[in-house]
Amino acid sequence: KQEVTQIPAALSVPEGENLVLNCSFTDSAIYNLQWFRQDPGKGLTSLLLIQSSQREQTSGRLNASLDKSSGRSTLYIAASQPGDSATYLCAVNDGNKLVFGAGTILRVKS
Amino acid sequence: NAGVTQTPKFRILKIGQSMTLQCAQDMNHNYMYWYRQDPGMGLKLIYYSVGAGITDKGEVPNGYNVSRSTTEDFPLRLELAAPSQTSVYFCASSYPKTGVPSYNEQFFGPGTRLTVL
C-alpha cells in the first residue's frame, strides 16, 4: 500500500529565506507527483506536476524535484514571502488516483 | 469556465440523516473524484469515476454512494450520517491525455464542510 510522508509537519521562517519541503513515498511505481497549496478553509491549488520520467519542474520561485528510485521529492521555495504562508501537500499518482501526504504548514513571518 | 463547483459549502446533519453533496465540472473532464480531509490529515479517496456510468471504490468508501449519469456531475450520497463522517469533502476532476498516463493533473473544488452531531 502506498504511503506518503511529509517532513516537517510545520515550518516557520523569516521573510526572504529559501526553504525546502520534503515528501517521501514507499512505492516507486508512480505515474506522477503533484504539489498543492491549500489556504485555510479553501480548496487545493495545483502548483507543480512532475511526470515519472522527469527529474524536476519549475514555476516562478518554486522548483520541485523527483527521485523515483529513492522515493523522494522536494519543493524548493526561493525568497519566501508572507503570501506563501499556507499548507503544502504532495500527492503521488499510482494509477487512477492520488495518495496524499498530511502536509507541511508553512508560516513566513514579515 | 467555473471549473469544479461544489454545493453546499457548509452543512450540519443529525445522526441518521441523509444528504447528497453535489459536484459539477464544466471542463469536459472524464475523470472525477471524491476525497475527504480530516483535521491535520491529507486527503483520502472515497470514490472515483473514469466516465459516465463507471464508478469505483477508493480507500474509504464505507457509508457513501455515488453515481455518474453525466460527464459533468458526480454527486456523493450519505445514507445514514454518523459522527465519523464529520469532515471536509473535496471533489476533483481530471482529463488524462491519451497515451500519456503520467500526465493526469487533478483540479479541485472549494470543498463542503460537513458536521454530523
Side-chain angles (χ1 to χ4, degrees), chain A residues 2-67:
Chain A
Q2 179 75 264
E3 292 183 1
V4 179
T5 304
Q6 291 187 246
I7 295 173
L11 182 63
S12 182
V13 301
E15 182 177 4
E17 195 163 295
N18 302 326
L19 57 100
V20 174
L21 308 181
N22 297 291
C23 173
S24 61
F25 46 96
T26 55
D27 187 346
S28 62
I30 65 170
Y31 284 95
N32 62 51
L33 184 145
Q34 241 176 303
W35 282 94
F36 294 89
R37 170 186 172 133
Q38 185 177 28
D39 293 292
K42 304 291 186 183
L44 279 68
T45 300
S46 180
L47 297 173
L48 291 163
L49 181 147
I50 310 176
Q51 298 183 50
S52 58
S53 58
Q54 297 175 324
R55 297 285 292 182
E56 66 177 339
Q57 281 285 332
T58 298
S59 176
R61 294 182 294 109
L62 305 180
N63 176 277
S65 68
L66 174 64
D67 184 342

Coordinates of all heavy atoms in Angstrom, one line a residue, chain A residues 2-67:
Chain A
Q2 N 0.6 2.2 -0.9 CA 1.4 3.4 -1.0 C 1.2 4.3 0.2 O 0.0 4.5 0.6 CB 1.0 4.1 -2.3 CG 1.7 5.5 -2.5 CD 3.1 5.3 -3.0 OE1 4.0 5.3 -2.2 NE2 3.3 5.1 -4.3
E3 N 2.3 4.8 0.8 CA 2.2 5.7 1.9 C 3.1 6.9 1.6 O 4.2 6.8 1.1 CB 2.6 5.1 3.2 CG 1.6 4.0 3.7 CD 2.0 3.4 5.0 OE1 3.0 3.8 5.6 OE2 1.3 2.5 5.5
V4 N 2.5 8.1 1.9 CA 3.3 9.3 1.6 C 3.5 10.1 2.9 O 2.5 10.3 3.7 CB 2.4 10.2 0.6 CG1 3.2 11.5 0.3 CG2 2.2 9.5 -0.7
T5 N 4.7 10.5 3.1 CA 5.1 11.2 4.4 C 5.7 12.6 4.0 O 6.5 12.6 3.1 CB 6.1 10.4 5.2 OG1 5.6 9.1 5.4 CG2 6.4 11.1 6.5
Q6 N 5.3 13.6 4.8 CA 5.9 14.9 4.5 C 6.5 15.4 5.8 O 6.0 15.3 6.9 CB 4.8 15.9 4.1 CG 4.2 15.6 2.7 CD 3.3 16.7 2.3 OE1 2.1 16.4 2.1 NE2 3.8 17.9 2.0
I7 N 7.8 15.9 5.6 CA 8.6 16.5 6.7 C 9.1 17.8 6.3 O 9.6 18.0 5.1 CB 9.7 15.5 7.0 CG1 9.2 14.2 7.6 CG2 10.7 16.1 8.1 CD1 10.2 13.1 7.8
P8 N 9.1 18.9 7.2 CA 8.5 18.8 8.5 C 7.0 19.0 8.5 O 6.4 19.3 7.5 CB 9.1 20.0 9.2 CG 9.3 21.0 8.1 CD 9.6 20.2 6.9
A9 N 6.3 18.7 9.6 CA 4.9 18.9 9.7 C 4.5 20.4 9.7 O 3.5 20.8 9.2 CB 4.3 18.2 11.0
A10 N 5.4 21.2 10.3 CA 5.2 22.7 10.3 C 6.6 23.3 10.3 O 7.6 22.8 10.7 CB 4.5 23.1 11.6
L11 N 6.6 24.6 9.7 CA 7.8 25.3 9.5 C 7.5 26.8 9.6 O 6.5 27.3 8.9 CB 8.4 24.9 8.1 CG 9.7 25.5 7.6 CD1 10.8 25.1 8.6 CD2 10.0 25.1 6.2
S12 N 8.3 27.5 10.3 CA 8.2 28.9 10.4 C 9.5 29.6 10.1 O 10.5 29.3 10.7 CB 7.7 29.3 11.9 OG 7.5 30.7 12.0
V13 N 9.5 30.5 9.1 CA 10.7 31.1 8.6 C 10.5 32.6 8.5 O 9.4 33.1 8.3 CB 11.2 30.5 7.3 CG1 11.4 29.0 7.4 CG2 10.2 30.8 6.2
P14 N 11.6 33.4 8.6 CA 11.5 34.8 8.3 C 11.4 35.1 6.8 O 11.9 34.3 6.0 CB 12.8 35.4 8.9 CG 13.8 34.2 8.8 CD 13.0 33.0 9.0
E15 N 10.8 36.2 6.4 CA 10.6 36.6 5.0 C 12.0 36.6 4.4 O 13.0 37.1 4.9 CB 9.9 37.9 5.0 CG 9.7 38.4 3.6 CD 8.9 39.7 3.6 OE1 8.7 40.3 4.7 OE2 8.6 40.2 2.5
G16 N 12.0 36.2 3.1 CA 13.3 36.2 2.3 C 14.1 35.0 2.3 O 15.0 34.8 1.5
E17 N 13.8 34.1 3.3 CA 14.6 32.9 3.4 C 14.2 31.9 2.3 O 13.0 31.8 1.9 CB 14.4 32.2 4.8 CG 15.4 31.2 5.1 CD 15.4 30.9 6.6 OE1 15.7 31.8 7.4 OE2 15.0 29.8 7.0
N18 N 15.2 31.1 1.8 CA 14.9 30.0 0.9 C 14.6 28.8 1.8 O 15.2 28.6 2.9 CB 16.2 29.7 0.1 CG 16.6 30.9 -0.8 OD1 15.7 31.7 -1.2 ND2 17.9 31.0 -1.0
L19 N 13.7 27.9 1.3 CA 13.3 26.8 2.1 C 13.0 25.6 1.3 O 12.7 25.7 0.1 CB 12.1 27.1 3.0 CG 10.9 27.6 2.3 CD1 9.9 26.5 2.2 CD2 10.2 28.8 3.1
V20 N 13.1 24.4 2.0 CA 12.8 23.1 1.3 C 11.8 22.3 2.1 O 11.9 22.1 3.3 CB 14.1 22.3 1.2 CG1 13.8 20.9 0.6 CG2 15.1 23.0 0.3
L21 N 10.8 21.8 1.4 CA 9.8 20.9 1.9 C 10.0 19.5 1.4 O 10.3 19.4 0.2 CB 8.4 21.4 1.6 CG 8.0 22.8 1.9 CD1 6.6 23.1 1.6 CD2 8.3 23.2 3.4
N22 N 9.9 18.5 2.2 CA 10.2 17.2 1.8 C 9.0 16.3 1.7 O 8.1 16.4 2.5 CB 11.2 16.6 2.8 CG 12.6 17.3 2.8 OD1 13.3 17.2 1.8 ND2 12.8 18.0 3.9
C23 N 9.0 15.4 0.8 CA 8.0 14.4 0.6 C 8.6 13.0 0.3 O 9.5 13.0 -0.6 CB 7.1 14.8 -0.6 SG 5.8 13.7 -1.1
S24 N 8.2 12.0 0.9 CA 8.7 10.6 0.6 C 7.5 9.7 0.4 O 6.5 9.9 1.0 CB 9.6 10.1 1.7 OG 8.9 10.0 2.9
F25 N 7.7 8.7 -0.5 CA 6.7 7.7 -0.7 C 7.3 6.3 -0.8 O 8.5 6.2 -1.1 CB 6.0 8.0 -2.1 CG 6.9 8.4 -3.2 CD1 7.2 7.4 -4.1 CD2 7.3 9.7 -3.4 CE1 8.1 7.7 -5.2 CE2 8.1 10.0 -4.5 CZ 8.5 9.0 -5.4
T26 N 6.5 5.3 -0.4 CA 7.0 4.0 -0.2 C 7.1 3.1 -1.5 O 7.9 2.2 -1.5 CB 6.2 3.3 0.8 OG1 4.8 3.3 0.4 CG2 6.3 3.9 2.2
D27 N 6.3 3.4 -2.5 CA 6.2 2.6 -3.7 C 6.7 3.4 -4.9 O 6.0 4.4 -5.2 CB 4.8 2.0 -3.9 CG 4.8 1.0 -5.1 OD1 5.7 0.9 -5.9 OD2 3.8 0.3 -5.1
S28 N 7.7 3.1 -5.5 CA 8.3 3.9 -6.6 C 7.5 3.8 -7.9 O 7.8 4.5 -8.9 CB 9.8 3.6 -6.8 OG 9.9 2.3 -7.2
A29 N 6.5 2.9 -7.9 CA 5.8 2.7 -9.2 C 4.7 3.7 -9.3 O 3.5 3.5 -9.1 CB 5.2 1.3 -9.2
I30 N 5.1 5.0 -9.6 CA 4.1 6.1 -9.7 C 4.1 6.6 -11.1 O 5.1 6.5 -11.9 CB 4.5 7.2 -8.7 CG1 5.8 7.8 -9.0 CG2 4.5 6.7 -7.3 CD1 6.1 9.1 -8.3
Y31 N 3.0 7.3 -11.4 CA 2.9 7.9 -12.7 C 3.3 9.3 -12.7 O 3.9 9.9 -13.6 CB 1.4 7.8 -13.3 CG 1.0 6.5 -13.8 CD1 0.4 5.6 -13.0 CD2 1.3 6.1 -15.1 CE1 0.0 4.3 -13.4 CE2 1.0 4.9 -15.6 CZ 0.3 4.0 -14.7 OH 0.0 2.7 -15.2
N32 N 3.0 10.0 -11.6 CA 3.4 11.4 -11.4 C 3.3 11.8 -10.0 O 2.8 11.0 -9.1 CB 2.7 12.4 -12.3 CG 1.2 12.4 -12.0 OD1 0.8 12.6 -10.8 ND2 0.3 12.3 -13.0
L33 N 3.8 13.0 -9.7 CA 3.7 13.5 -8.3 C 3.3 15.0 -8.5 O 3.8 15.7 -9.3 CB 5.1 13.4 -7.6 CG 5.1 13.9 -6.1 CD1 6.1 13.1 -5.3 CD2 5.5 15.4 -6.0
Q34 N 2.3 15.4 -7.6 CA 1.8 16.7 -7.7 C 2.0 17.4 -6.3 O 1.8 16.8 -5.3 CB 0.3 16.7 -8.0 CG -0.1 17.4 -9.2 CD -1.6 17.2 -9.5 OE1 -2.2 16.2 -9.7 NE2 -2.3 18.4 -9.7
W35 N 2.4 18.7 -6.4 CA 2.4 19.5 -5.2 C 1.3 20.5 -5.3 O 1.0 21.1 -6.3 CB 3.8 20.3 -5.2 CG 4.9 19.5 -4.7 CD1 5.8 18.8 -5.4 CD2 5.3 19.3 -3.3 NE1 6.8 18.2 -4.6 CE2 6.5 18.5 -3.3 CE3 4.8 19.7 -2.1 CZ2 7.2 18.1 -2.2 CZ3 5.5 19.4 -0.9 CH2 6.6 18.6 -1.0
F36 N 0.6 20.6 -4.1 CA -0.6 21.5 -4.0 C -0.3 22.5 -2.9 O 0.4 22.3 -1.9 CB -1.8 20.7 -3.6 CG -2.3 19.8 -4.7 CD1 -1.9 18.5 -4.7 CD2 -3.3 20.2 -5.6 CE1 -2.3 17.6 -5.7 CE2 -3.7 19.3 -6.6 CZ -3.2 18.0 -6.6
R37 N -1.1 23.6 -3.0 CA -1.1 24.6 -1.9 C -2.6 24.7 -1.4 O -3.5 24.6 -2.2 CB -0.7 26.0 -2.4 CG -1.0 27.1 -1.5 CD -0.7 28.5 -2.1 NE -1.1 29.5 -1.2 CZ -0.4 30.6 -0.9 NH1 0.8 30.7 -1.4 NH2 -0.9 31.5 -0.1
Q38 N -2.7 24.7 -0.1 CA -4.1 24.8 0.5 C -4.1 26.0 1.5 O -3.4 25.9 2.5 CB -4.5 23.5 1.1 CG -6.0 23.6 1.7 CD -6.4 22.2 2.2 OE1 -5.6 21.5 2.8 NE2 -7.7 22.0 2.2
D39 N -4.9 27.0 1.2 CA -5.1 28.1 2.2 C -6.2 27.7 3.2 O -7.1 26.9 2.8 CB -5.4 29.4 1.4 CG -4.3 29.9 0.6 OD1 -3.3 30.3 1.2 OD2 -4.3 29.8 -0.6
P40 N -6.2 28.2 4.4 CA -7.1 27.9 5.4 C -8.6 28.0 5.0 O -9.0 29.0 4.4 CB -6.8 28.8 6.6 CG -5.4 29.2 6.4 CD -5.2 29.2 4.9
G41 N -9.3 26.9 5.1 CA -10.7 26.9 4.7 C -11.0 26.9 3.2 O -12.1 27.1 2.8
K42 N -9.9 26.6 2.5 CA -10.1 26.7 1.0 C -9.8 25.3 0.4 O -9.4 24.4 1.0 CB -9.1 27.7 0.4 CG -9.3 29.1 1.0 CD -10.6 29.8 0.6 CE -10.6 31.2 1.0 NZ -12.0 31.8 0.7
G43 N -10.0 25.3 -0.9 CA -9.7 24.1 -1.7 C -8.2 24.0 -2.0 O -7.4 24.8 -1.5
L44 N -7.8 23.1 -2.9 CA -6.4 22.8 -3.2 C -6.1 23.5 -4.6 O -6.9 23.4 -5.5 CB -6.1 21.3 -3.4 CG -5.9 20.6 -2.1 CD1 -7.1 20.5 -1.2 CD2 -5.3 19.2 -2.4
T45 N -4.9 24.1 -4.6 CA -4.5 24.7 -5.9 C -3.2 24.0 -6.3 O -2.3 23.8 -5.6 CB -4.1 26.2 -5.7 OG1 -5.2 26.9 -5.2 CG2 -3.6 26.8 -6.9
S46 N -3.2 23.5 -7.5 CA -2.1 22.7 -8.1 C -0.9 23.7 -8.3 O -1.1 24.7 -9.0 CB -2.5 22.0 -9.3 OG -1.4 21.3 -9.8
L47 N 0.2 23.3 -7.8 CA 1.4 24.2 -8.0 C 2.3 23.6 -9.1 O 2.7 24.3 -10.1 CB 2.2 24.2 -6.7 CG 1.6 24.9 -5.5 CD1 2.4 24.7 -4.3 CD2 1.3 26.4 -5.8
L48 N 2.6 22.3 -9.0 CA 3.5 21.7 -10.0 C 3.2 20.2 -10.1 O 2.8 19.6 -9.1 CB 5.0 21.8 -9.5 CG 5.6 23.2 -9.5 CD1 6.9 23.2 -8.7 CD2 6.0 23.6 -11.0
L49 N 3.3 19.7 -11.3 CA 3.2 18.3 -11.6 C 4.4 17.8 -12.2 O 4.9 18.4 -13.2 CB 1.9 18.0 -12.5 CG 1.6 16.5 -12.8 CD1 0.1 16.3 -13.0 CD2 2.4 16.1 -14.1
I50 N 5.0 16.7 -11.6 CA 6.2 16.1 -12.2 C 5.9 14.7 -12.7 O 5.4 13.9 -12.0 CB 7.4 16.0 -11.2 CG1 7.6 17.3 -10.4 CG2 8.6 15.5 -11.9 CD1 8.6 17.2 -9.4
Q51 N 6.0 14.5 -14.0 CA 5.8 13.2 -14.6 C 6.9 12.2 -14.1 O 8.0 12.6 -13.8 CB 5.7 13.3 -16.1 CG 4.6 14.1 -16.6 CD 4.5 14.2 -18.1 OE1 4.5 13.1 -18.7 NE2 4.4 15.3 -18.7
S52 N 6.6 10.9 -14.2 CA 7.5 9.9 -13.6 C 8.8 9.9 -14.4 O 9.9 9.5 -13.8 CB 6.9 8.5 -13.7 OG 6.5 8.2 -15.0
S53 N 8.8 10.4 -15.6 CA 10.1 10.4 -16.4 C 10.9 11.7 -16.2 O 12.0 11.8 -16.7 CB 9.7 10.2 -17.9 OG 8.9 11.3 -18.3
Q54 N 10.4 12.6 -15.5 CA 11.0 13.9 -15.3 C 11.8 13.9 -14.0 O 11.5 13.2 -13.0 CB 10.0 15.0 -15.3 CG 9.3 15.2 -16.7 CD 8.2 16.2 -16.7 OE1 7.5 16.4 -15.7 NE2 8.0 16.9 -17.8
R55 N 12.8 14.8 -13.9 CA 13.5 15.0 -12.6 C 13.1 16.2 -11.9 O 13.3 16.3 -10.6 CB 15.0 15.1 -13.0 CG 15.6 13.9 -13.6 CD 15.8 12.8 -12.7 NE 16.9 13.1 -11.7 CZ 17.3 12.2 -10.8 NH1 16.7 11.0 -10.6 NH2 18.2 12.5 -9.9
E56 N 12.6 17.3 -12.6 CA 12.2 18.5 -11.9 C 11.3 19.3 -12.8 O 11.2 19.1 -14.0 CB 13.4 19.3 -11.5 CG 14.3 19.9 -12.6 CD 15.4 20.7 -12.0 OE1 15.3 21.2 -10.9 OE2 16.4 20.9 -12.8
Q57 N 10.6 20.2 -12.1 CA 9.7 21.2 -12.7 C 9.9 22.5 -12.0 O 10.1 22.5 -10.7 CB 8.3 20.7 -12.6 CG 7.9 19.7 -13.7 CD 7.7 20.2 -15.0 OE1 7.4 21.4 -15.2 NE2 8.0 19.4 -16.0
T58 N 9.8 23.6 -12.7 CA 9.9 24.9 -12.1 C 8.7 25.8 -12.5 O 8.3 25.7 -13.7 CB 11.2 25.6 -12.6 OG1 12.3 24.7 -12.2 CG2 11.4 27.0 -12.1
S59 N 8.3 26.6 -11.6 CA 7.3 27.6 -11.8 C 7.6 28.8 -10.9 O 7.4 28.8 -9.7 CB 5.9 27.1 -11.5 OG 4.9 28.1 -11.7
G60 N 8.1 29.9 -11.6 CA 8.4 31.1 -10.8 C 9.5 30.8 -9.7 O 10.6 30.3 -10.0
R61 N 9.1 31.1 -8.5 CA 10.1 30.9 -7.3 C 10.0 29.4 -6.8 O 10.7 29.1 -5.8 CB 9.7 31.8 -6.2 CG 10.0 33.3 -6.5 CD 9.6 34.2 -5.3 NE 8.2 34.2 -5.0 CZ 7.7 33.6 -3.9 NH1 8.5 33.0 -3.0 NH2 6.4 33.7 -3.7
L62 N 9.2 28.6 -7.4 CA 9.1 27.2 -7.0 C 9.8 26.3 -7.9 O 9.8 26.4 -9.1 CB 7.6 26.8 -7.0 CG 6.6 27.7 -6.2 CD1 5.2 27.1 -6.3 CD2 7.0 27.7 -4.7
N63 N 10.5 25.3 -7.3 CA 11.2 24.2 -8.0 C 10.9 22.9 -7.3 O 11.2 22.8 -6.1 CB 12.7 24.5 -8.1 CG 13.4 23.4 -8.8 OD1 13.8 22.4 -8.2 ND2 13.7 23.5 -10.1
A64 N 10.4 21.9 -8.0 CA 10.1 20.6 -7.4 C 11.0 19.6 -8.1 O 11.2 19.6 -9.3 CB 8.7 20.2 -7.6
S65 N 11.6 18.7 -7.3 CA 12.4 17.6 -7.9 C 11.8 16.3 -7.5 O 11.0 16.2 -6.6 CB 13.8 17.7 -7.3 OG 13.8 17.4 -5.9
L66 N 12.2 15.3 -8.3 CA 11.6 13.9 -8.1 C 12.8 12.9 -8.3 O 13.5 12.9 -9.3 CB 10.5 13.6 -9.1 CG 10.0 12.2 -9.1 CD1 9.3 11.9 -7.7 CD2 9.0 12.0 -10.2
D67 N 13.0 12.1 -7.3 CA 13.9 11.0 -7.4 C 13.0 9.7 -7.1 O 12.8 9.3 -6.0 CB 15.0 11.1 -6.3 CG 16.0 10.0 -6.5 OD1 15.7 9.0 -7.1 OD2 17.2 10.1 -6.0

